[in-house]
Amino acid sequence: MDMETLLSYEWSMMAPEFTILIIATVLSLVDLFADKKIDRKLFGWFGAAGIGIALFFLFSQIGHEPAMILANTYRLDAFSLSFKILLLIGALLVLLMGVSYEAKGELLYRGEFYYLLMSALLGAMMMASSADLITLFVGLELLSISSYILAGTRKKSTQSNEAAMKYVINGGISSAFTLFGLSYIYGLTGSTNLADISREISNIAPENGLVLLSVAFILTFVGLAFKISTVPFQMWAPDVYQGAPIPVTVFLSVVSKTAGFVIILRVLLSVFPFAQGLEANTSLLQSMMIFISVLAGITMIAGNTVALKQRNIKRLFAYSSIAHAGYLLVPFVAFSEMMFESMWFYLAAYLLMNIGAFAVIQVMSEHSHSEDISIFAGLFYRRPWMAVMMTIFLLSLAGIPGTAGFIGKLNIFIGALFSDPSRYILAAVMMGTTVISYFYYFGVMAQMFMRPSGSAVPIRMPVGVTIAMVFCAAGTITLGLFPGVVLDFFQTQFNFAEMFY
Amino acid sequence: MLFAVLLPFLASIFIPFLAKWKDRIHTGIFVTLVPLVIFIYFIQFLGTGFQPETRSYSWIPSLDMNMNFYLDGLSLLFVLLISGIGTLVAFYSIYYLHKSEQLGNFYVYFLIFMGSMLGVVLSDNVFVLYSFWEFTSLSSFLLIGYWNHRRGSRYGALKSMLITVFGGLSMLGALVFMSVITNTASIQQMITEKSIILNHEFFPLIMGLLLLGAFTKSAQFPFHIWLPDAMEAPTPVSAYLHSATMVKAGIYLVARNIPIFADSEWFFVIVSGFGIITLMWASYMAVRQTDLKGILAFSTISQLGMIMAMLGFGTKVAIFAAVFHILNHATFKGSLFMVAGIVDHETGSRDIRKLGGLMTFMPITATLAILATFSMAGFPLPFLNGFYSKEMFFDATLDLESTSNALAGFMQQALPYLAVFGSIFTFVYSMYFFFGTFRGKAQISELPKKPHEAPIGMLISPAVLVAGVIIIGLFPELINKPFISHAAASIYGGEIDKHIYFWHGINLPLIMSIAVLAFGTILVLTRTKWEAIYRFIPGPLSMNKVYDGSVKRAETYSERITKTYMNGSLGRYFRLILGAILIITFGFMAATTGFEFNMAYSAEITLAEILVAIMMAVAAVGTILAKNRVAAIIILGVVGYGLAILFVIYRAPDLALTQLIVETVTVALFLMVFNHLPQLKMRKQAWSTKALNLIISIGFGALMTLVAISAHSSKWFDSISSYFVENSYKLGGGDNIVNVILVDMRGLDTLFEIAVLGIAALGIYGMVKLRSNKEEDA
């Protein structure tokens, strides 16, 4: 590789990534040399501005022809663009929450939080854009390792330490599985480039390659299931979510999960639809759908039933986020034309409602130094607007009309019935578990509206977290009442056929 | 029309501001205007020449969700009920709710409910209908829980929410299904394409899901249990939502879908069957109640059951009677609820055992009550509307279409008797309600307040409704042609020409009415003798126990799962993950024949290799059995050194050397780290856990072995080693191929690897130094 080829690359394609990289580097250097007295919260605003610039670059790229640079390892297409928007907005909201986060004496190195968040975001963006197994894995690890440290940023808290430890062990195991699976894909096709793999893999004769391919599939999927916390790799989530600082919990449950879905879509869709499946004229992906649908079903059931009895609000939302990952697998299993659209929309809705709900949780748990569900008691009579916003988030999570969550669920549901073959059972499981979820979501609502509040101390609402909350509430309602705006934009601007080579 | 639906929502935005002045002017006054305006707007449509109208407003075209409003006779009936009763209830609430209450919240919920309910009955688009439907449940939840300091309120609110929202969701399932197979989201279009739905293989499922939604909302047996608990709501809410409007949404849904489903025989069996059971069960249960509102709640349930049963019949008479009764029920039950509210408000008690003899204290209220109760009982007087529809109900049970279905045929035989049975108890509880409250001996000392007549404003609303009872009773034809006929026709799907008479001559329905009157009077007079039976039944059969039990069971079940598998133990997590992988992979392998075992590419296996392999296996097993960490690490080292020996046997001394060094360093590092860890304790584990662990580990080992063998047995590409043999001297100038690869062909990689190792070493050095510094400090 000489200078000329290096300069001939269209580097502007990576402008959003570079922005984030520069911000992360600058922040870490400033943190090292700047006076200890300087409030590190400034970093948060700086980072937020950086993400804003990155978003600007990203939006200017919409409509760009699909292109690849760096020896076809980095790809810009509708798929990567649309999901990077979610990643950036999610990270921006997490940053805003982080600025307002106070953990009495437990958060010793606040600066670290910001630049580790940035590097994790960079990893997630790389995952969305990569067109090569190696790049993909590097992105995955960049995200994972940053997150491991983030989970332990409350240095003096044993819970946070436990969370980080469990996360790193579980994460290590999952990476091992993924890597093992990917190595088989490489072994079978002789390439790490996704385009080459998709070409080569169709040549493998089913009579001798099927076992290895299926092992590759299963191990890759199970390993990646860790990131999206679905069965069988979901158990870490409650422990880690509970122990980590709330902004990190949000990051893990939203941004990291979105990245997980991105990588699953990217790998599984560029590799396995082209491989021969069990029966003639079916792809391996189709043959494997039965397993994924069983896993999705168990995920929805497990997440929702276990959440019923939770008193710790962070744990409750951890289980609920497991259940939502289960819902998100349904369109993947249904594999209809609407798959990308419904997954993207549900992820967007999930981003808004989950971050919003956690923002309220952060304010309330900081106020009362507790994470018990009873901290919401009588919220409506103390901070009516906050209670109304929390109600919006809860209704959206439960999938009640008028909110983004409802449109998302309806999309998924219709997709599951429309697809060929129809996924009736999975749709029924989704309905049934949604009913179960009403129990705990409405339980929180009952606390806010129907319990007397214990104290009259005014609740402090810091700027950052309030902005995040209001943004999420407005977004949830807008997507719920006028999803057409976003869906039409999505259909006209993003052509997902681009994803295939 | 869109504005009419949105008006309550828009108004609700201003309520919190208006509520700030509630000390000067009661917020309810503004709220009353909203339904009044809507009522005036819609009443213009009334008349003999009424034609259905449609209005479309696009909302989310990409999802086929559009605000398509369809106003036909049925919708008009409901719209007028919602706005008309809404006006009266809002006016009544001005006197009922004191200014010190949280009026703002109350009226916001109230208006949201009203708008949603209008949306439900006007939407032609199934998704929009569902959206409004859920909002009615939600506002009902908030209104029931309005007096949230009461435990009963919170319990009732959550219960009603869970049951109705569950029903709503299953209704959504049916609606989505119907719209997917007919490819339209409009109910009217579905009706034109009903053959697709009727002949679909999932038709029973669709109908079942839809009816589940209707039955939960309209409190049909066995889902009726939420309604009595919903009586914790302030009385205006009970009168409005839980009697006149919201609970009739299920009735509306069934009526709206009759054109689609009526051709199915099962529709009659299910709808009429549940309806009649509800009628009997709830009217019996009403007799047992001691709370005034409890009686009215069960009475509402039973009346809803009756309407539901009539809709199931599907004949002209039945549908006409159903529509007529919807209207009649709203008038007399609405006024009775308000009367109950007045009694509660003026005496401080709703317990019928403490009340009695109130007629002398509140004569106007008692007069209103007597008219409404006797109308409810179906007393044959020419100025009570309740009698007309009840008589038509009897008529309808006798005049059903012939059927070939055995179950349906049996039901048709039994229906007249069941109808009479249910009506007897209706008569009994009506009398019980009136005489228990207003007649008998007054027990003033038992009551929290000294009873007196209500303020005039509070009496206006029930008086208007009772006036409706009498006007309809005296001049039923007044509302027939311009109003009821249109509604019935839009359900039936054809013109209905029916006249309402008081006197039909002596015929079977009249004899049935007289029988009800006779048996009812006997039961009322001998009431004390029956109390033992009332107490005994239903006992453990109560559906409430089932609900409470299942909520509790779900929670304990959830707790148990949490304890058994999400308990924070990493070992357990890992066991589950590996178990899942095993099941999936072996499951898939069983489905394929793709496993390959091929020795063609393997060299011969010598004795030395076998011995080394055995040594490694023994060491691996030994590691698990070792009692302390140091021993385990050292034994594990044997596995690594065995590998090094294998490299030697395969003539790769450099690799063997690397392996030896790596192994030594790892063992040394492990020892160093483990020195700091606490003592390894052998934990006591259950025998079954150990066995499971063993099975999973052996299974996973077997899996990996099989995969490795299979991978080794299939070679599809030429080996790349020939390239290096050919080129390493030519290009790299070295004799040792491995060295050439490392330092030349991928020299940059090696450089970076060294760099990474160097950084890691620096990191470790830093950490060790940090630790020793700390120790010095300490």
Side-chain angles (χ1 to χ4, degrees):
Chain A
M1 192 191 292
D2 50 30
M3 210 54 190
E4 208 166 312
T5 39
L6 208 59
L7 288 177
S8 71
Y9 286 139
E10 193 192 342
W11 288 109
S12 64
M13 259 171 60
M14 288 180 75
E17 283 85 349
F18 283 130
T19 316
I20 302 296
L21 178 65
I22 291 167
I23 298 279
T25 319
V26 169
L27 283 183
S28 63
L29 288 175
V30 172
D31 190 37
L32 197 60
F33 296 113
D35 191 339
K36 289 277 173 278
K37 275 180 224 132
I38 291 172
D39 191 356
R40 295 294 188 264
K41 281 183 188 174
L42 285 174
F43 285 22
W45 297 110
F46 189 62
I51 295 183
I53 297 169
L55 265 174
F56 169 77
F57 284 129
L58 204 61
F59 275 104
S60 67
Q61 284 174 346
I62 290 175
H64 196 286
E65 288 293 303
M68 295 207 265
I69 56 168
L70 289 174
N72 293 344
T73 59
Y74 213 82
R75 188 176 170 84
L76 179 81
D77 56 10
F79 176 81
S80 57
L81 263 176
S82 59
F83 282 97
K84 270 193 253 179
I85 293 177
L86 291 187
L87 296 172
L88 281 176
I89 293 179
L92 180 65
L93 294 170
V94 172
L95 261 188
L96 290 176
M97 283 176 67
V99 173
S100 311
Y101 183 74
E102 301 288 349
K104 9 142 219 168
E106 286 177 345
L107 196 64
L108 296 182
Y109 302 97
R110 187 176 271 280
E112 280 176 0
F113 169 79
Y114 299 110
Y115 47 82
L116 284 172
L117 192 79
M118 288 298 188
S119 64
L121 174 64
L122 184 64
M125 291 170 77
M126 277 175 73
M127 285 158 76
S129 261
S130 59
D132 191 283
L133 292 182
I134 304 280
T135 331
L136 208 109
F137 188 75
V138 171
L140 178 69
E141 284 304 290
L142 183 56
L143 170 65
S144 302
I145 293 170
S146 310
S147 322
Y148 301 151
I149 310 171
L150 278 174
T153 35
R154 270 161 67 198
K155 260 190 110 171
K156 298 277 172 182
S157 150
T158 44
Q159 266 196 356
S160 182
N161 282 317
E162 184 192 332
M165 194 66 199
K166 278 192 170 152
Y167 196 34
V168 80
I169 291 175
N170 273 303
I173 295 168
S174 85
S175 295
F177 281 136
T178 311
L179 206 54
F180 196 70
L182 295 181
S183 72
Y184 271 87
I185 295 176
Y186 167 67
L188 287 165
T189 56
S191 171
T192 57
N193 187 285
L194 289 175
D196 294 342
I197 291 174
S198 66
R199 212 170 32 248
E200 287 292 328
I201 208 156
S202 54
N203 299 331
I204 297 173
E207 51 277 14
N208 44 31
L210 204 51
V211 167
L212 293 181
L213 262 179
S214 63
V215 168
F217 180 91
I218 292 164
L219 288 177
T220 313
F221 183 80
V222 169
L224 295 177
F226 167 77
K227 273 269 160 281
I228 58 170
S229 65
T230 56
V231 170
F233 231 135
Q234 87 287 21
M235 290 81 96
W236 60 273
D239 297 339
V240 176
Y241 286 10
Q242 188 183 353
I246 290 181
V248 176
T249 306
V250 179
F251 183 80
L252 295 183
S253 73
V254 176
V255 181
S256 175
K257 189 168 281 199
T258 306
F261 274 104
V262 168
I263 193 174
I264 282 188
L265 285 175
R266 183 69 101 176
V267 173
L268 299 191
L269 290 186
S270 16
V271 175
F272 293 101
F274 307 101
Q276 269 281 322
L278 265 185
E279 282 127 33
N281 294 327
T282 59
S283 70
L284 185 67
L285 191 63
Q286 280 167 304
S287 308
M288 281 295 178
M289 278 309 184
I290 179 74
F291 292 115
I292 304 183
S293 67
V294 170
L295 293 180
I298 301 175
T299 308
M300 291 188 273
I301 294 170
N304 279 317
T305 48
V306 175
L308 278 181
K309 198 59 189 168
Q310 275 313 318
R311 294 288 303 176
N312 182 301
I313 189 82
K314 275 165 87 183
R315 242 183 135 75
L316 183 115
F317 270 78
Y319 292 121
S320 120
S321 89
I322 292 174
H324 283 277
Y327 303 147
L328 272 160
L329 277 183
V330 174
F332 183 68
V333 173
F335 212 66
S336 68
E337 297 155 21
M338 297 158 67
M339 177 181 70
F340 285 115
E341 204 178 307
S342 37
M343 282 181 89
W344 187 89
F345 191 88
Y346 201 82
L347 278 169
Y350 174 75
L351 181 150
L352 292 169
M353 60 203 184
N354 215 39
I355 295 187
F358 267 111
V360 179
I361 293 174
Q362 179 178 324
V363 171
M364 289 314 292
S365 69
E366 271 173 24
H367 173 73
S368 46
H369 308 298
S370 158
E371 281 164 9
D372 191 82
I373 196 165
S374 62
I375 54 176
F376 286 97
L379 180 61
F380 182 66
Y381 305 101
R382 302 168 66 190
R383 279 274 180 187
W385 285 108
M386 193 153 84
V388 167
M389 283 193 277
M390 187 67 179
T391 309
I392 292 171
F393 303 136
L394 287 170
L395 292 180
S396 183
L397 285 163
I400 299 289
T403 57
F406 167 68
I407 304 286
K409 244 181 207 162
L410 188 70
N411 254 334
I412 292 179
F413 195 65
I414 294 177
L417 293 182
F418 255 123
S419 69
D420 185 37
S422 290
R423 303 287 173 177
Y424 294 119
I425 300 175
L426 211 54
V429 172
M430 189 172 158
M431 282 278 160
T433 49
T434 301
V435 172
I436 299 177
S437 75
Y438 291 158
F439 277 83
Y440 56 87
Y441 291 131
F442 294 151
V444 180
M445 263 176 70
Q447 287 280 348
M448 292 193 300
F449 288 92
M450 299 179 183
R451 291 288 161 100
S453 58
S455 78
V457 183
I459 300 166
R460 213 176 61 85
M461 292 186 69
V463 188
V465 75
T466 311
I467 297 174
M469 216 185 287
V470 172
F471 177 84
C472 289
T476 308
I477 289 292
T478 314
L479 286 190
L481 292 180
F482 311 102
V485 182
V486 177
L487 286 174
D488 291 343
F489 177 76
F490 200 77
Q491 276 160 354
T492 49
Q493 296 298 329
F494 297 124
N495 171 20
F496 275 102
E498 283 176 7
M499 183 180 167
F500 303 104
Y501 307 93
Chain B
M1 218 177 276
L2 177 70
F3 187 67
V5 174
L6 291 185
L7 181 66
F9 291 109
L10 293 176
S12 72
I13 297 172
F14 296 104
I15 293 300
F17 304 107
L18 293 173
K20 293 228 164 92
W21 310 323
K22 67 179 178 182
D23 291 330
R24 253 174 290 164
I25 183 160
H26 197 285
T27 323
I29 293 168
F30 303 105
V31 175
T32 311
L33 295 175
V34 176
L36 190 64
V37 169
I38 299 172
F39 185 76
I40 291 169
Y41 170 71
F42 278 106
I43 204 148
Q44 298 168 15
F45 289 92
L46 223 55
T48 39
F50 172 74
Q51 288 296 323
E53 284 196 35
T54 37
R55 301 278 162 82
S56 301
Y57 308 90
S58 109
W59 183 27
I60 316 170
S62 51
L63 286 176
D64 207 5
M65 276 177 84
N66 289 312
M67 291 273 190
N68 290 344
F69 293 131
Y70 181 74
L71 182 76
D72 62 353
L74 179 64
S75 307
L76 188 63
L77 169 71
F78 274 93
V79 166
L80 290 177
L81 272 185
I82 295 160
S83 53
I85 309 260
T87 314
L88 296 175
V89 168
F91 186 69
Y92 176 79
S93 70
I94 298 174
Y95 297 90
Y96 188 84
L97 289 175
H98 195 259
K99 283 175 183 169
S100 60
E101 306 255 10
Q102 303 239 349
L103 292 182
N105 300 344
F106 178 83
Y107 285 113
V108 168
Y109 306 155
F110 186 85
L111 287 171
I112 289 177
F113 166 77
M114 189 188 299
S116 323
M117 193 65 208
L118 288 171
V120 167
V121 298
L122 283 171
S123 306
D124 185 42
N125 185 298
V126 290
F127 299 118
V128 177
L129 186 146
Y130 168 75
S131 303
F132 284 123
W133 179 282
E134 292 293 45
F135 269 99
T136 61
S137 301
L138 198 67
S139 44
S140 157
F141 165 76
L142 293 168
L143 283 168
I144 298 172
Y146 177 63
W147 279 326
N148 52 58
H149 47 272
R150 301 184 189 168
R151 210 187 149 270
S153 263
R154 299 196 299 262
Y155 171 79
L158 207 57
K159 189 175 183 180
S160 75
M161 179 83 165
L162 287 172
I163 293 177
T164 53
V165 173
F166 152 73
L169 201 61
S170 62
M171 178 188 85
L172 175 68
L175 295 177
V176 168
F177 236 123
M178 282 158 71
S179 88
V180 166
I181 59 180
T182 59
N183 202 17
T184 171
S186 152
I187 298 174
Q188 294 307 316
Q189 299 219 349
M190 284 177 190
I191 291 173
T192 59
E193 298 188 34
K194 64 177 177 184
S195 58
I196 302 177
I197 299 174
L198 284 170
N199 298 323
H200 197 267
E201 53 173 329
F202 287 116
F203 172 71
L205 183 71
I206 297 175
M207 190 167 82
L209 287 174
L210 192 80
L211 290 180
L212 201 58
F215 287 175
T216 47
K217 196 80 165 177
S218 280
Q220 297 294 294
F221 184 87
F223 307 107
H224 64 276
I225 50 167
W226 66 267
L227 193 56
D229 285 307
M231 290 301 136
E232 291 290 338
T235 301
V237 173
S238 308
Y240 191 35
L241 273 72
H242 304 127
S243 162
T245 56
M246 187 183 92
V247 286
K248 292 209 176 92
I251 302 274
Y252 169 81
L253 184 74
V254 171
R256 184 50 89 206
N257 285 291
I258 278 182
I260 300 178
F261 291 106
D263 292 343
S264 158
E265 266 171 353
W266 287 104
F267 182 75
F268 163 68
V269 174
I270 297 174
V271 175
S272 295
F274 276 98
I276 204 86
I277 293 172
T278 311
L279 165 64
M280 295 190 319
W281 180 254
S283 57
Y284 167 75
M285 289 292 287
V287 179
R288 299 174 68 235
Q289 304 301 312
T290 53
D291 178 10
L292 278 190
K293 281 174 81 179
I295 300 175
L296 293 178
F298 276 104
S299 144
T300 306
I301 296 170
S302 92
Q303 305 272 338
L304 291 169
M306 179 176 142
I307 299 171
M308 198 61 99
M310 287 194 275
L311 289 175
F313 298 166
T315 56
K316 272 188 189 182
V317 183
I319 286 178
F320 187 83
V323 172
F324 194 25
H325 199 70
I326 290 173
L327 180 66
N328 293 342
H329 177 248
T331 53
F332 63 67
K333 190 56 62 64
S335 55
L336 282 178
F337 263 110
M338 292 181 190
V339 165
I342 292 173
V343 171
D344 187 14
H345 206 256
E346 305 306 331
T347 67
S349 171
R350 294 197 318 242
D351 191 334
I352 201 160
R353 288 166 301 189
K354 293 182 188 163
L355 298 166
L358 291 181
M359 198 154 188
T360 45
F361 297 99
M362 6 178 42
I364 306 174
T365 315
T367 317
L368 295 175
I370 193 167
L371 290 166
T373 345
F374 278 76
S375 179
M376 173 162 81
F379 210 81
L381 285 172
F383 53 86
L384 297 178
N385 60 2
F387 172 69
Y388 292 91
S389 38
K390 179 140 296 178
E391 187 93 340
M392 273 187 216
F393 171 55
F394 288 147
D395 193 14
T397 58
L398 296 167
D399 180 30
L400 293 166
E401 282 168 27
S402 61
T403 170
S404 53
N405 185 315
L407 186 58
F410 170 74
M411 259 180 63
Q412 293 191 345
Q413 295 295 319
L415 269 171
Y417 301 99
L418 302 177
V420 169
F421 177 84
S423 302
I424 291 173
F425 279 100
T426 309
F427 185 82
V428 174
Y429 71 67
S430 303
M431 297 305 122
Y432 174 47
F433 178 85
F434 177 73
F435 288 100
T437 316
F438 294 100
R439 299 295 298 168
K441 203 169 149 285
Q443 312 162 42
I444 308 295
S445 55
E446 294 274 314
L447 297 171
K449 280 192 204 167
K450 189 177 152 25
H452 53 82
E453 188 57 272
I456 191 79
M458 211 168 181
L459 288 167
I460 289 176
S461 291
V464 170
L465 284 172
V466 169
V469 167
I470 293 168
I471 291 170
I472 297 174
L474 287 174
F475 314 105
E477 286 299 313
L478 201 66
I479 48 135
N480 180 358
K481 276 269 155 346
F483 191 25
I484 306 227
S485 290
H486 292 305
S490 56
I491 301 175
Y492 186 72
E495 280 300 306
I496 290 187
D497 194 21
K498 177 100 181 112
H499 290 277
I500 311 172
Y501 300 111
F502 175 68
W503 181 251
H504 290 268
I506 299 183
N507 57 5
L508 214 47
L510 186 72
I511 296 171
M512 286 161 84
S513 287
I514 293 170
V516 168
L517 209 62
F519 281 108
T521 316
I522 296 171
L523 280 180
V524 172
L525 293 176
T526 58
R527 186 184 146 73
T528 42
K529 300 216 168 73
W530 297 90
E531 268 177 358
I533 295 179
Y534 293 149
R535 265 203 301 277
F536 182 66
I537 303 172
L541 282 171
S542 154
M543 286 306 296
N544 269 319
K545 298 218 165 120
V546 176
Y547 168 84
D548 290 341
S550 51
V551 169
K552 209 172 165 63
R553 208 165 314 133
E555 286 184 349
T556 44
Y557 172 69
S558 145
E559 204 163 16
R560 203 173 309 153
I561 316 186
T562 321
K563 279 211 183 104
T564 50
Y565 104 118
M566 294 214 193
N567 61 351
S569 148
L570 279 177
R572 193 164 289 192
Y573 293 175
F574 201 53
R575 199 180 309 148
L576 280 166
I577 293 163
L578 291 187
I581 295 177
L582 276 181
I583 291 169
I584 299 174
T585 328
F586 278 120
F588 196 80
M589 276 191 179
T592 63
T593 49
F595 177 67
E596 209 168 321
F597 184 65
N598 186 348
M599 297 289 282
Y601 305 110
S602 312
E604 259 179 57
I605 300 169
T606 62
L607 185 68
E609 288 164 18
I610 294 174
L611 286 178
V612 174
I614 290 174
M615 182 185 80
M616 288 166 73
V618 169
V621 175
T623 313
I624 304 164
L625 299 177
K627 290 275 185 244
N628 71 46
R629 283 209 183 87
V630 178
I633 290 303
I634 292 173
I635 301 172
L636 188 64
V638 175
V639 181
Y641 292 122
L643 194 64
I645 296 175
L646 280 181
F647 283 136
V648 173
I649 295 174
Y650 296 142
R651 293 181 213 101
D654 47 346
L655 271 181
L657 202 65
T658 319
Q659 176 68 27
L660 276 177
I661 294 168
V662 168
E663 201 54 44
T664 313
V665 171
T666 346
V667 169
L669 269 177
F670 266 138
L671 287 177
M672 209 172 90
V673 173
F674 280 11
N675 197 23
H676 295 289
L677 288 182
Q679 197 68 40
L680 180 70
K681 286 196 202 94
M682 279 291 158
R683 271 172 304 164
K684 285 252 183 295
Q685 272 180 317
W687 181 85
S688 56
T689 324
K690 278 189 178 167
L692 191 65
N693 284 348
L694 191 67
I695 292 170
I696 289 180
S697 358
I698 291 181
F700 204 74
L703 177 71
M704 283 300 127
T705 315
L706 287 177
V707 169
I709 291 175
S710 186
H712 189 258
S713 302
S714 22
K715 283 210 169 29
W716 304 322
F717 307 106
D718 293 331
S719 165
I720 52 169
S721 51
S722 55
Y723 170 84
F724 290 109
V725 172
E726 224 170 83
N727 291 313
S728 55
Y729 187 74
K730 223 188 313 178
L731 298 176
D735 287 329
N736 187 320
I737 295 174
V738 177
N739 285 353
V740 171
I741 293 174
L742 278 181
V743 299
D744 192 320
M745 296 193 170
R746 47 181 290 260
L748 215 57
D749 279 9
T750 311
L751 181 69
F752 283 129
E753 267 167 30
I754 294 168
V756 167
L757 286 177
I759 292 168
L762 280 175
I764 292 173
Y765 174 72
M767 274 159 77
V768 170
K769 212 176 152 209
L770 202 72
R771 189 173 172 86
S772 53
N773 280 349
K774 238 190 210 151
E775 274 161 8
E776 277 162 27
D777 289 349

